[in-house]
Amino acid sequence: RPRNSWDLCNCKQRADETLREYIQRFSKKCNELPNIIDADVINAFICGMTREALIDVLGRETPCMTRELMDITT
Protein backbone atom coordinates (compact mmCIF):
# COMPACT_ATOMS: atom_id res chain seq x y z
CA ARG A 1 0.00 0.00 0.00
CA PRO A 2 1.18 3.57 -0.54
CA ARG A 3 2.68 5.27 2.49
CA ASN A 4 0.98 8.35 3.95
CA SER A 5 1.17 10.75 6.88
CA TRP A 6 -0.24 8.14 9.29
CA ASP A 7 2.93 6.11 8.76
CA LEU A 8 4.94 9.10 9.92
CA CYS A 9 2.75 9.50 13.01
CA ASN A 10 3.81 6.01 14.07
CA CYS A 11 7.45 7.10 14.22
CA LYS A 12 7.94 7.60 17.97
CA GLN A 13 11.16 8.30 19.85
CA ARG A 14 12.24 5.17 21.70
CA ALA A 15 13.20 5.24 25.36
CA ASP A 16 16.80 4.28 24.58
CA GLU A 17 17.09 6.57 21.54
CA THR A 18 18.91 9.90 21.55
CA LEU A 19 17.29 12.92 19.99
CA ARG A 20 19.85 12.82 17.18
CA GLU A 21 19.01 9.18 16.42
CA TYR A 22 15.30 9.98 16.43
CA ILE A 23 15.81 12.94 14.06
CA GLN A 24 17.79 10.73 11.67
CA ARG A 25 15.18 7.96 11.70
CA PHE A 26 12.31 10.46 11.39
CA SER A 27 14.01 12.25 8.47
CA LYS A 28 14.50 8.94 6.66
CA LYS A 29 10.76 8.21 7.04
CA CYS A 30 9.93 11.71 5.74
CA ASN A 31 11.99 11.07 2.64
CA GLU A 32 9.82 8.01 1.93
CA LEU A 33 6.74 10.29 1.79
CA PRO A 34 7.31 12.72 -1.08
CA ASN A 35 3.86 14.36 -1.00
CA ILE A 36 3.50 15.03 2.71
CA ILE A 37 2.81 18.62 3.76
CA ASP A 38 4.99 20.49 6.25
CA ALA A 39 2.21 20.80 8.85
CA ASP A 40 1.83 17.00 8.99
CA VAL A 41 5.59 16.53 9.34
CA ILE A 42 5.84 19.06 12.18
CA ASN A 43 2.86 17.61 14.01
CA ALA A 44 4.13 14.02 13.71
CA PHE A 45 7.61 15.01 14.88
CA ILE A 46 6.35 16.85 17.97
CA CYS A 47 3.92 14.06 18.86
CA GLY A 48 6.62 11.45 18.48
CA MET A 49 9.41 12.96 20.54
CA THR A 50 9.90 12.82 24.29
CA ARG A 51 12.14 15.83 25.01
CA GLU A 52 9.88 18.20 26.95
CA ALA A 53 12.34 21.10 26.83
CA LEU A 54 12.45 20.93 23.05
CA ILE A 55 8.67 20.66 22.86
CA ASP A 56 8.49 23.93 24.82
CA VAL A 57 10.94 25.59 22.40
CA LEU A 58 8.94 24.41 19.39
CA GLY A 59 5.78 25.74 21.01
CA ARG A 60 7.34 29.19 21.34
CA GLU A 61 9.07 29.29 17.95
CA THR A 62 6.26 27.58 15.98
CA PRO A 63 8.01 26.38 12.82
CA CYS A 64 5.91 26.55 9.66
CA MET A 65 8.20 24.56 7.41
CA THR A 66 10.01 21.25 7.84
CA ARG A 67 13.33 22.99 7.21
CA GLU A 68 12.67 25.38 10.12
CA LEU A 69 11.76 22.42 12.34
CA MET A 70 15.03 20.67 11.58
CA ASP A 71 17.03 23.88 12.07
CA ILE A 72 15.54 24.35 15.53
CA THR A 73 15.96 20.73 16.60
CA THR A 74 19.53 20.38 15.47
Side-chain angles (χ1 to χ4, degrees), residues 44-66:
F45 182 85
I46 292 172
C47 290
M49 66 180 216
T50 59
R51 301 285 293 242
E52 290 183 26
L54 185 54
I55 292 170
D56 290 340
V57 169
L58 291 172
R60 285 191 307 270
E61 303 216 7
T62 316
C64 296
M65 297 172 56
T66 302

Side-chain angles (χ1 to χ4, degrees), residues 3-51:
R3 294 189 179 272
N4 59 40
S5 61
W6 285 106
D7 294 315
L8 195 55
C9 289
N10 289 325
C11 185
K12 307 286 186 194
Q13 186 176 7
R14 300 176 189 129
D16 63 339
E17 186 174 45
T18 67
L19 182 59
R20 176 169 287 182
E21 291 167 337
Y22 172 64
I23 291 170
Q24 290 172 341
R25 190 167 55 83
F26 185 88
S27 295
K28 184 177 178 182
K29 291 244 184 228
C30 282
N31 290 336
E32 295 171 359
L33 303 168
N35 297 321
I36 192 166
I37 61 172
D38 287 333
D40 288 344
V41 172
I42 292 166
N43 184 52
F45 182 85
I46 292 172
C47 290
M49 66 180 216
T50 59
R51 301 285 293 242

